[in-house]
């Protein structure tokens, strides 16, 4: 069996899914039928998608010490519940020219970045139904602060900018 514990796969917000995961793991262990094990393995893989994080932690960041790094959040709309295709979803595609794609995430790209203080090149993607818009920002982050990347949709364009999450002061400039 490849999966022995649930601790390394599940985060605190997904506790309910993790309990289901434990029960199914127990049933699979006790089951003697080959078909049942295969079926439950596929079911467990589907449930593990709910335990994936949408946060990216940059190398060198200590997440436990909040004063040592800054957090950049994408302004994502999640107001349509199960009809997520109707939401305006914003993701971070790259950070300092490093691709952030990860197959283990639900949306493949993170919605939150934990970064070291300093200037960072952030590429964002806005997804809505079948279209995508991309933007690039140079953001100067300070330790202990949180920022949000916002968007404004025009007639034929999308404008992206960063703000301090507490004060709303603009942070960063568009990439050239």
């Amino acid at each position: 069996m490849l999966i022995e514990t649930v601790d390394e796969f599940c985060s605190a917000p997904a506790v309910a899914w993790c309990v289901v995961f434990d029960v199914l793991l127990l049933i699979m262990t006790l089951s003697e039928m080959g078909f049942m094990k295969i079926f439950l393995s596929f079911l467990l893989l589907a449930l593990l998608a709910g335990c994936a994080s949408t946060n990216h932690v940059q190398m060198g960041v200590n997440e436990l010490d909040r004063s040592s790094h800054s957090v950049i959040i994408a302004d994502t709309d999640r107001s349509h519940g199960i009809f997520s295709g109707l939401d305006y979803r914003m993701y971070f595609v790259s950070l300092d020219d490093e691709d952030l794609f990860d197959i283990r995430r639900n949306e493949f790209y993170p919605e939150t970045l934990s970064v070291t203080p300093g200037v960072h090149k952030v590429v964002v993607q806005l997804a809505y139904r079948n279209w995508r818009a991309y933007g690039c920002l140079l953001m100067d982050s300070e330790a202990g602060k949180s920022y949000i990347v916002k968007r404004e949709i025009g007639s034929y364009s999308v404008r992206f900018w960063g703000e301090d999450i507490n004060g709303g002061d603009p942070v960063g400039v568009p990439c050239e």
Side-chain angles (χ1 to χ4, degrees):
M1 185 181 321
L2 294 174
I3 301 170
E4 303 257 338
T5 66
V6 71
D7 298 332
E8 62 191 51
F9 291 101
C10 297
S11 58
V15 172
W17 286 113
C18 296
V19 170
V20 171
F21 177 81
D22 279 339
V23 170
L24 290 176
L25 189 62
L26 179 64
I27 292 171
M28 192 169 86
T29 305
L30 297 175
S31 172
E32 304 248 349
M33 299 171 54
F35 173 76
M36 182 62 88
K37 284 186 178 183
I38 292 171
F39 173 73
L40 288 176
S41 296
F42 283 114
L43 186 61
L44 288 175
L45 285 175
L47 290 176
L48 278 177
C51 295
S53 172
T54 60
N55 183 32
H56 173 76
V57 181
Q58 187 180 29
M59 186 72 74
V61 170
N62 179 7
E63 273 196 296
L64 300 177
D65 183 12
R66 182 65 186 95
S67 64
S68 70
H69 68 280
S70 59
V71 176
I72 304 173
I73 303 166
D75 185 20
T76 295
D77 172 29
R78 293 187 176 273
S79 61
H80 290 94
I82 62 170
F83 301 109
S84 61
L86 300 174
D87 293 337
Y88 286 92
R89 298 285 179 103
M90 195 179 322
Y91 307 107
F92 295 106
V93 176
S94 72
L95 173 65
D96 298 331
D97 296 323
E98 174 192 349
D99 187 22
L100 300 178
F101 178 83
D102 189 351
I103 194 89
R104 295 171 294 177
R105 288 191 189 99
N106 286 342
E107 284 91 13
F108 302 124
Y109 289 104
E111 295 176 348
T112 306
L113 301 174
S114 296
V115 298
T116 57
V119 177
H120 296 283
K121 180 181 177 183
V122 178
V123 177
V124 295
Q125 173 193 52
L126 178 65
Y128 177 68
R129 295 191 183 183
N130 63 347
W131 63 264
R132 307 281 184 267
Y134 294 88
C136 181
L137 297 170
L138 290 174
M139 296 189 66
D140 189 9
S141 63
E142 297 178 26
K145 288 195 171 186
S146 295
Y147 304 95
I148 186 165
V149 175
K150 295 197 168 202
R151 84 279 199 249
E152 178 181 57
I153 301 172
S155 298
Y156 295 100
S157 65
V158 178
R159 185 174 71 94
F160 297 97
W161 72 94
E163 291 182 358
D164 187 320
I165 205 162
N166 295 324
D169 297 328
V171 177
V173 294
C175 300
E176 293 185 18

